[in-house]
Amino acid sequence: MFARQAFRSAQPLKSSVRRYASGASQGGSQTAIYAGLAVAAGAGGYYYYSQRPAIGSTGKQDPSAQAGKGAPASHEEMHNVPAQADQHNLVFKGGDQGWISLKLDSVEQVSHNTKRFRFSLPDKDDVSGLQITSALLTKYKGPEMEKPAIRPYTPVSDEDSRGFIDFVIKSYPNGPMSEHLHSMEPQQRLDFKGPIPKYPWEPNKHDHIALIAGGTGITPMYQLARAIFKNPEDKTKVTLVFGNVTEEDILLKREFEDLENTYPQRFRAFYVLDKPPEGWTQGSGFITKDLLKTVIPEPKNENIKIFVCGPPGMYKAISGTKKSPQDQGELEGILKELGYSKDQVYKF
Protein backbone atom coordinates (compact mmCIF):
# COMPACT_ATOMS: atom_id res chain seq x y z
CA MET A 1 0.00 0.00 0.00
CA PHE A 2 2.81 2.42 0.86
CA ALA A 3 4.58 1.84 -2.49
CA ARG A 4 1.29 2.35 -4.34
CA GLN A 5 0.62 5.65 -2.55
CA ALA A 6 4.18 6.84 -3.11
CA PHE A 7 3.91 6.25 -6.81
CA ARG A 8 0.59 8.07 -7.09
CA SER A 9 2.39 11.22 -5.97
CA ALA A 10 5.16 10.60 -8.49
CA GLN A 11 2.88 10.21 -11.54
CA PRO A 12 4.24 13.26 -13.42
CA LEU A 13 7.78 11.96 -12.99
CA LYS A 14 6.74 8.47 -14.03
CA SER A 15 5.17 9.89 -17.17
CA SER A 16 8.41 11.65 -18.04
CA VAL A 17 10.47 8.50 -17.67
CA ARG A 18 7.86 6.41 -19.46
CA ARG A 19 8.11 8.71 -22.48
CA TYR A 20 11.82 7.94 -22.57
CA ALA A 21 11.24 4.19 -22.17
CA SER A 22 8.65 4.14 -24.95
CA GLY A 23 9.93 6.81 -27.30
CA ALA A 24 12.58 9.42 -27.98
CA SER A 25 14.41 10.75 -24.94
CA GLN A 26 14.60 14.47 -24.28
CA GLY A 27 17.71 14.13 -22.11
CA GLY A 28 18.01 16.30 -19.01
CA SER A 29 18.71 15.74 -15.36
CA GLN A 30 17.45 12.65 -13.54
CA THR A 31 17.55 14.19 -10.06
CA ALA A 32 13.83 14.95 -10.09
CA ILE A 33 13.07 11.51 -11.45
CA TYR A 34 14.87 9.85 -8.57
CA ALA A 35 13.15 12.04 -6.04
CA GLY A 36 9.93 10.25 -6.96
CA LEU A 37 11.33 6.82 -7.68
CA ALA A 38 13.57 6.49 -4.62
CA VAL A 39 10.60 6.34 -2.25
CA ALA A 40 8.96 3.55 -4.20
CA ALA A 41 12.19 1.64 -4.68
CA GLY A 42 12.67 1.59 -0.93
CA ALA A 43 9.03 0.93 -0.10
CA GLY A 44 9.33 -2.81 -0.47
CA GLY A 45 11.74 -5.41 -1.80
CA TYR A 46 13.67 -8.53 -1.19
CA TYR A 47 17.17 -9.28 0.00
CA TYR A 48 19.16 -10.65 -2.89
CA TYR A 49 22.55 -8.97 -2.73
CA SER A 50 24.09 -11.36 -0.19
CA GLN A 51 22.69 -14.77 -1.13
CA ARG A 52 25.36 -17.45 -1.47
CA PRO A 53 23.94 -20.77 -2.64
CA ALA A 54 26.84 -22.12 -4.69
CA ILE A 55 29.26 -24.60 -3.18
CA GLY A 56 32.96 -24.19 -3.83
CA SER A 57 35.70 -26.78 -3.83
CA THR A 58 36.32 -26.17 -0.14
CA GLY A 59 32.87 -27.52 0.68
CA LYS A 60 31.78 -24.06 1.91
CA GLN A 61 29.30 -21.81 0.23
CA ASP A 62 30.99 -19.85 -2.55
CA PRO A 63 29.76 -16.26 -2.62
CA SER A 64 31.51 -15.69 -5.95
CA ALA A 65 28.28 -17.06 -7.41
CA GLN A 66 26.85 -13.62 -6.63
CA ALA A 67 28.75 -12.26 -9.58
CA GLY A 68 26.47 -13.90 -12.12
CA LYS A 69 29.59 -14.48 -14.21
CA GLY A 70 31.61 -15.78 -11.28
CA ALA A 71 29.49 -18.80 -10.46
CA PRO A 72 31.10 -22.23 -10.85
CA ALA A 73 31.35 -23.18 -14.51
CA SER A 74 28.95 -25.87 -15.66
CA HIS A 75 29.90 -29.07 -17.47
CA GLU A 76 28.40 -27.64 -20.66
CA GLU A 77 30.42 -24.43 -20.44
CA MET A 78 33.68 -26.31 -19.94
CA HIS A 79 33.17 -28.72 -22.82
CA ASN A 80 31.08 -26.84 -25.39
CA VAL A 81 33.39 -24.01 -26.42
CA PRO A 82 32.70 -23.42 -30.14
CA ALA A 83 35.56 -22.93 -32.59
CA GLN A 84 36.03 -19.51 -34.22
CA ALA A 85 35.96 -19.07 -37.99
CA ASP A 86 38.53 -16.28 -38.48
CA GLN A 87 41.44 -17.14 -36.20
CA HIS A 88 44.05 -14.62 -37.36
CA ASN A 89 45.79 -13.16 -34.28
CA LEU A 90 43.06 -14.53 -32.01
CA VAL A 91 44.29 -15.95 -28.73
CA PHE A 92 41.11 -17.77 -27.74
CA LYS A 93 39.78 -19.86 -30.61
CA GLY A 94 37.42 -22.25 -28.85
CA GLY A 95 36.92 -25.84 -29.97
CA ASP A 96 39.50 -28.23 -28.56
CA GLN A 97 42.12 -25.52 -28.02
CA GLY A 98 42.44 -26.21 -24.31
CA TRP A 99 43.68 -23.90 -21.53
CA ILE A 100 45.99 -20.94 -22.17
CA SER A 101 48.25 -19.45 -19.49
CA LEU A 102 48.33 -15.65 -19.36
CA LYS A 103 50.65 -13.43 -17.33
CA LEU A 104 49.19 -10.84 -14.97
CA ASP A 105 50.55 -7.48 -16.11
CA SER A 106 49.04 -5.06 -13.59
CA VAL A 107 46.49 -4.73 -10.78
CA GLU A 108 44.45 -1.63 -9.91
CA GLN A 109 42.50 -1.27 -6.67
CA VAL A 110 38.97 -0.14 -7.63
CA SER A 111 37.29 -0.35 -4.22
CA HIS A 112 37.76 -2.03 -0.85
CA ASN A 113 36.93 -5.46 -2.32
CA THR A 114 37.27 -4.99 -6.10
CA LYS A 115 40.29 -4.90 -8.37
CA ARG A 116 40.92 -4.40 -12.07
CA PHE A 117 43.26 -7.03 -13.52
CA ARG A 118 45.14 -6.66 -16.79
CA PHE A 119 46.51 -9.87 -18.31
CA SER A 120 49.00 -9.77 -21.17
CA LEU A 121 48.19 -11.71 -24.32
CA PRO A 122 51.05 -13.78 -25.78
CA ASP A 123 51.91 -11.14 -28.40
CA LYS A 124 51.42 -7.37 -28.39
CA ASP A 125 49.43 -7.59 -31.66
CA ASP A 126 47.10 -10.35 -30.44
CA VAL A 127 43.41 -9.80 -29.74
CA SER A 128 41.43 -11.93 -27.31
CA GLY A 129 39.05 -13.53 -29.80
CA LEU A 130 35.95 -12.74 -27.74
CA GLN A 131 32.75 -11.57 -29.39
CA ILE A 132 30.09 -9.32 -27.86
CA THR A 133 28.35 -11.04 -24.92
CA SER A 134 30.95 -13.76 -24.42
CA ALA A 135 33.05 -14.77 -21.44
CA LEU A 136 36.21 -16.71 -20.56
CA LEU A 137 36.70 -19.55 -18.10
CA THR A 138 39.44 -19.27 -15.48
CA LYS A 139 41.07 -22.21 -13.68
CA TYR A 140 43.05 -22.43 -10.46
CA LYS A 141 43.98 -25.36 -8.22
CA GLY A 142 45.47 -24.56 -4.83
CA PRO A 143 47.79 -26.93 -2.96
CA GLU A 144 45.01 -28.11 -0.62
CA MET A 145 42.22 -28.24 -3.22
CA GLU A 146 41.01 -31.64 -4.41
CA LYS A 147 39.63 -30.16 -7.63
CA PRO A 148 40.44 -26.93 -9.45
CA ALA A 149 38.13 -23.95 -9.15
CA ILE A 150 36.74 -23.00 -12.56
CA ARG A 151 34.81 -19.76 -12.94
CA PRO A 152 33.56 -17.74 -15.93
CA TYR A 153 34.29 -14.01 -16.05
CA THR A 154 33.36 -11.36 -18.61
CA PRO A 155 36.20 -9.03 -19.65
CA VAL A 156 35.61 -5.27 -19.53
CA SER A 157 38.25 -4.38 -22.12
CA ASP A 158 37.29 -3.78 -25.74
CA GLU A 159 37.12 -6.88 -27.93
CA ASP A 160 39.53 -5.20 -30.36
CA SER A 161 42.14 -4.32 -27.73
CA ARG A 162 45.56 -5.62 -28.74
CA GLY A 163 48.05 -7.22 -26.40
CA PHE A 164 45.93 -7.35 -23.22
CA ILE A 165 42.60 -8.23 -21.66
CA ASP A 166 41.04 -6.60 -18.56
CA PHE A 167 38.70 -7.91 -15.87
CA VAL A 168 36.99 -6.17 -12.94
CA ILE A 169 36.53 -8.75 -10.19
CA LYS A 170 35.17 -8.53 -6.67
CA SER A 171 36.59 -10.71 -3.89
CA TYR A 172 34.12 -12.81 -1.88
CA PRO A 173 34.95 -14.60 1.40
CA ASN A 174 35.48 -18.32 0.79
CA GLY A 175 35.34 -17.76 -2.98
CA PRO A 176 38.37 -19.80 -4.11
CA MET A 177 38.83 -18.11 -7.50
CA SER A 178 38.12 -14.52 -6.50
CA GLU A 179 40.32 -14.84 -3.40
CA HIS A 180 43.14 -16.32 -5.49
CA LEU A 181 42.89 -13.54 -8.06
CA HIS A 182 43.02 -10.89 -5.34
CA SER A 183 46.15 -12.51 -3.92
CA MET A 184 47.97 -12.52 -7.27
CA GLU A 185 50.92 -10.27 -8.03
CA PRO A 186 52.09 -9.02 -11.44
CA GLN A 187 54.12 -11.59 -13.40
CA GLN A 188 52.12 -14.50 -11.97
CA ARG A 189 50.03 -16.54 -14.38
CA LEU A 190 46.47 -17.86 -14.63
CA ASP A 191 44.83 -20.36 -16.99
CA PHE A 192 42.02 -19.24 -19.31
CA LYS A 193 39.78 -20.99 -21.84
CA GLY A 194 37.07 -19.84 -24.23
CA PRO A 195 35.33 -17.92 -25.51
CA ILE A 196 31.96 -18.89 -24.05
CA PRO A 197 29.28 -17.23 -26.22
CA LYS A 198 26.07 -15.99 -24.66
CA TYR A 199 23.48 -13.93 -26.54
CA PRO A 200 24.20 -13.55 -30.29
CA TRP A 201 24.24 -9.81 -30.95
CA GLU A 202 24.23 -7.85 -34.19
CA PRO A 203 23.73 -4.10 -34.72
CA ASN A 204 20.10 -2.95 -34.48
CA LYS A 205 18.89 -6.41 -33.56
CA HIS A 206 16.48 -4.70 -31.15
CA ASP A 207 15.12 -1.16 -31.07
CA HIS A 208 15.42 -0.85 -27.29
CA ILE A 209 17.07 -3.07 -24.68
CA ALA A 210 16.98 -2.96 -20.88
CA LEU A 211 19.88 -4.17 -18.74
CA ILE A 212 18.86 -5.22 -15.22
CA ALA A 213 21.95 -5.99 -13.17
CA GLY A 214 23.01 -6.63 -9.59
CA GLY A 215 26.56 -6.52 -8.23
CA THR A 216 29.24 -7.83 -10.56
CA GLY A 217 26.52 -9.06 -12.90
CA ILE A 218 27.17 -5.68 -14.51
CA THR A 219 30.18 -6.87 -16.55
CA PRO A 220 28.30 -8.59 -19.43
CA MET A 221 25.92 -5.60 -19.48
CA TYR A 222 28.83 -3.20 -19.88
CA GLN A 223 30.34 -5.38 -22.59
CA LEU A 224 27.11 -5.17 -24.58
CA ALA A 225 26.45 -1.46 -24.00
CA ARG A 226 30.01 -0.50 -24.87
CA ALA A 227 29.86 -2.43 -28.15
CA ILE A 228 26.53 -0.85 -29.11
CA PHE A 229 27.72 2.73 -28.63
CA LYS A 230 31.10 2.03 -30.18
CA ASN A 231 29.41 1.12 -33.47
CA PRO A 232 28.10 4.21 -35.29
CA GLU A 233 25.74 2.01 -37.32
CA ASP A 234 24.03 0.61 -34.21
CA LYS A 235 21.16 2.87 -33.11
CA THR A 236 19.87 0.64 -30.31
CA LYS A 237 18.44 2.45 -27.29
CA VAL A 238 19.69 1.21 -23.89
CA THR A 239 18.27 1.51 -20.35
CA LEU A 240 20.30 0.29 -17.37
CA VAL A 241 18.86 -0.54 -13.94
CA PHE A 242 21.73 -1.39 -11.59
CA GLY A 243 21.26 -2.50 -7.98
CA ASN A 244 23.99 -2.60 -5.32
CA VAL A 245 24.38 -2.54 -1.55
CA THR A 246 26.47 0.64 -1.20
CA GLU A 247 27.66 3.42 -3.51
CA GLU A 248 31.18 2.04 -3.35
CA ASP A 249 29.88 -1.23 -4.81
CA ILE A 250 28.80 0.43 -8.08
CA LEU A 251 31.27 -0.91 -10.64
CA LEU A 252 32.05 0.89 -13.91
CA LYS A 253 29.95 3.90 -12.87
CA ARG A 254 32.30 6.38 -14.53
CA GLU A 255 32.14 4.44 -17.79
CA PHE A 256 28.34 4.42 -17.73
CA GLU A 257 28.25 8.13 -16.87
CA ASP A 258 30.43 8.80 -19.93
CA LEU A 259 27.96 6.90 -22.11
CA GLU A 260 25.02 8.78 -20.61
CA ASN A 261 26.67 12.16 -21.18
CA THR A 262 27.69 11.27 -24.73
CA TYR A 263 24.41 9.64 -25.78
CA PRO A 264 21.69 11.29 -23.65
CA GLN A 265 18.98 10.47 -26.20
CA ARG A 266 19.80 6.76 -26.28
CA PHE A 267 21.21 5.76 -22.87
CA ARG A 268 19.74 6.09 -19.38
CA ALA A 269 21.12 4.59 -16.15
CA PHE A 270 19.14 4.14 -12.92
CA TYR A 271 21.05 3.19 -9.77
CA VAL A 272 19.45 1.62 -6.70
CA LEU A 273 21.24 1.17 -3.37
CA ASP A 274 20.21 -0.97 -0.43
CA LYS A 275 22.23 1.24 1.91
CA PRO A 276 22.42 4.69 0.30
CA PRO A 277 24.66 7.38 1.80
CA GLU A 278 23.29 10.63 3.19
CA GLY A 279 22.35 12.92 0.35
CA TRP A 280 21.96 10.12 -2.21
CA THR A 281 19.51 11.42 -4.85
CA GLN A 282 18.95 8.25 -6.83
CA GLY A 283 17.08 5.01 -6.06
CA SER A 284 17.11 3.42 -2.62
CA GLY A 285 15.99 -0.01 -1.48
CA PHE A 286 15.67 -2.74 -4.08
CA ILE A 287 14.79 -3.13 -7.73
CA THR A 288 11.00 -3.26 -7.52
CA LYS A 289 8.10 -3.95 -9.83
CA ASP A 290 7.05 -0.29 -9.78
CA LEU A 291 10.55 0.86 -10.69
CA LEU A 292 10.84 -1.49 -13.65
CA LYS A 293 7.32 -0.66 -14.81
CA THR A 294 8.35 2.98 -14.89
CA VAL A 295 11.78 2.96 -16.53
CA ILE A 296 12.14 0.00 -18.92
CA PRO A 297 10.37 -0.42 -22.29
CA GLU A 298 6.85 -1.80 -22.01
CA PRO A 299 6.16 -5.40 -23.07
CA LYS A 300 3.70 -4.22 -25.71
CA ASN A 301 6.53 -2.53 -27.60
CA GLU A 302 7.81 -4.56 -30.52
CA ASN A 303 11.43 -5.59 -30.92
CA ILE A 304 12.65 -5.08 -27.34
CA LYS A 305 14.85 -7.29 -25.17
CA ILE A 306 15.34 -7.40 -21.41
CA PHE A 307 18.68 -8.74 -20.15
CA VAL A 308 19.14 -9.90 -16.54
CA CYS A 309 22.37 -10.72 -14.68
CA GLY A 310 23.10 -10.82 -10.96
CA PRO A 311 23.07 -12.98 -7.85
CA PRO A 312 20.69 -15.96 -7.63
CA GLY A 313 18.17 -14.17 -5.42
CA MET A 314 17.87 -11.39 -7.96
CA TYR A 315 17.20 -13.84 -10.79
CA LYS A 316 14.50 -15.50 -8.71
CA ALA A 317 12.76 -12.21 -7.96
CA ILE A 318 13.14 -10.54 -11.37
CA SER A 319 13.01 -13.27 -14.01
CA GLY A 320 13.32 -16.75 -12.55
CA THR A 321 16.52 -18.76 -12.85
CA LYS A 322 18.08 -20.62 -15.75
CA LYS A 323 17.93 -24.42 -15.83
CA SER A 324 21.33 -24.66 -17.54
CA PRO A 325 23.59 -22.56 -19.80
CA GLN A 326 21.59 -23.84 -22.78
CA ASP A 327 18.14 -23.70 -21.13
CA GLN A 328 16.80 -20.29 -20.09
CA GLY A 329 14.04 -21.90 -18.03
CA GLU A 330 10.59 -20.43 -17.62
CA LEU A 331 10.03 -16.72 -17.17
CA GLU A 332 8.94 -15.95 -13.61
CA GLY A 333 9.04 -13.12 -11.09
CA ILE A 334 8.47 -9.43 -11.69
CA LEU A 335 8.98 -9.49 -15.45
CA LYS A 336 6.31 -12.15 -15.88
CA GLU A 337 3.95 -10.16 -13.64
CA LEU A 338 4.53 -7.10 -15.83
CA GLY A 339 3.47 -9.02 -18.93
CA TYR A 340 6.78 -9.75 -20.66
CA SER A 341 7.07 -12.96 -22.65
CA LYS A 342 9.84 -15.52 -22.34
CA ASP A 343 11.16 -14.50 -25.77
CA GLN A 344 11.57 -10.91 -24.60
CA VAL A 345 13.95 -11.81 -21.75
CA TYR A 346 17.49 -13.18 -21.73
CA LYS A 347 19.21 -14.37 -18.55
CA PHE A 348 23.02 -14.20 -18.64
Side-chain angles (χ1 to χ4, degrees), residues 55-57 62 64 69-73 136-138 149-153 176-177:
I55 303 297
S57 57
D62 182 3
S64 67
K69 305 310 292 177
L136 287 175
L137 297 176
T138 59
I150 298 176
R151 302 288 185 270
Y153 291 104
M177 181 58 74

Side-chain angles (χ1 to χ4, degrees), residues 13 23 25 47 57 64 74 97-98 109 158 225 243-245 289 331:
L13 298 175
S25 171
Y47 195 83
S57 57
S64 67
S74 68
Q97 181 184 33
Q109 191 79 39
D158 193 288
N244 286 279
V245 177
K289 182 177 179 179
L331 179 63

Side-chain angles (χ1 to χ4, degrees), residues 317-335:
I318 300 292
S319 62
T321 58
K322 294 190 296 184
K323 286 188 175 180
S324 73
Q326 282 73 39
D327 187 345
Q328 286 277 299
E330 293 302 315
L331 179 63
E332 300 173 349
I334 290 174
L335 293 179

Side-chain angles (χ1 to χ4, degrees), residues 7-268:
F7 261 78
R8 286 198 189 105
S9 64
Q11 287 302 320
L13 298 175
K14 290 177 65 177
S15 298
S16 173
V17 182
R18 172 52 59 206
R19 284 196 295 273
Y20 165 79
S22 304
S25 171
Q26 300 303 313
S29 171
Q30 293 180 194
T31 302
I33 293 172
Y34 280 113
L37 293 183
V39 177
Y46 34 81
Y47 195 83
Y48 54 66
Y49 295 121
S50 62
Q51 295 202 11
R52 302 185 241 177
I55 303 297
S57 57
T58 60
K60 299 180 180 180
Q61 288 186 330
D62 182 3
S64 67
Q66 292 184 41
K69 305 310 292 177
S74 68
H75 180 273
E76 293 95 331
E77 285 176 316
M78 286 188 283
H79 294 283
N80 294 334
V81 181
Q84 299 242 29
D86 181 7
Q87 300 186 349
H88 179 66
N89 278 346
L90 303 183
V91 174
F92 297 101
K93 304 174 183 178
D96 58 358
Q97 181 184 33
W99 295 91
I100 295 177
S101 176
L102 297 182
K103 182 174 65 176
L104 179 61
D105 178 71
S106 62
V107 182
E108 175 189 352
Q109 191 79 39
V110 176
S111 70
H112 69 286
N113 61 358
T114 303
K115 293 181 179 180
R116 188 182 188 110
F117 300 87
R118 172 162 293 186
F119 287 87
S120 298
L121 299 177
D123 187 89
K124 63 181 179 63
D125 291 324
D126 286 342
V127 294
S128 67
L130 273 74
Q131 310 93 11
I132 302 171
T133 71
S134 63
L136 287 175
L137 297 176
T138 59
K139 182 176 71 171
Y140 163 71
K141 186 177 184 299
E144 298 181 0
M145 297 170 61
E146 295 181 4
K147 296 181 179 179
I150 298 176
R151 302 288 185 270
Y153 291 104
T154 301
V156 296
S157 50
D158 193 288
E159 290 75 30
D160 296 330
S161 296
R162 293 188 175 273
F164 67 90
I165 188 167
D166 290 350
F167 298 86
V168 172
I169 298 173
K170 184 175 293 188
S171 178
Y172 294 97
N174 300 318
M177 181 58 74
S178 65
E179 286 189 336
H180 171 66
L181 278 160
H182 276 245
S183 72
M184 289 183 67
E185 300 288 342
Q187 307 305 312
Q188 292 184 314
R189 306 184 76 89
L190 187 68
D191 288 339
F192 292 85
K193 183 179 181 179
I196 307 297
K198 298 295 181 178
Y199 186 77
W201 181 261
E202 59 187 41
N204 303 304
K205 184 169 185 175
H206 302 288
D207 297 330
H208 192 168
I209 65 172
L211 313 175
I212 305 173
T216 47
I218 193 62
T219 52
M221 307 302 200
Y222 175 66
Q223 185 188 58
L224 177 55
R226 185 196 61 234
I228 288 172
F229 292 106
K230 175 186 173 183
N231 185 348
E233 302 301 318
D234 198 334
K235 306 301 182 183
T236 307
K237 201 171 180 179
V238 181
T239 298
L240 170 68
V241 181
F242 189 13
N244 286 279
V245 177
T246 68
E247 186 174 12
E248 190 177 21
D249 294 318
I250 302 176
L251 303 180
L252 302 167
K253 190 170 188 286
R254 184 180 62 184
E255 287 83 348
F256 284 118
E257 288 176 341
D258 288 343
L259 290 179
E260 195 165 24
N261 291 331
T262 306
Y263 306 97
Q265 305 299 319
R266 292 176 50 213
F267 181 74
R268 281 282 188 92

Side-chain angles (χ1 to χ4, degrees), residues 289-310:
K289 182 177 179 179
D290 280 328
L291 176 61
L292 295 182
K293 184 178 181 180
T294 303
V295 303
I296 67 175
E298 296 177 287
K300 66 181 182 182
N301 293 342
E302 296 182 2
N303 200 22
I304 64 167
K305 198 76 174 184
I306 313 298
F307 294 88
V308 183
C309 189

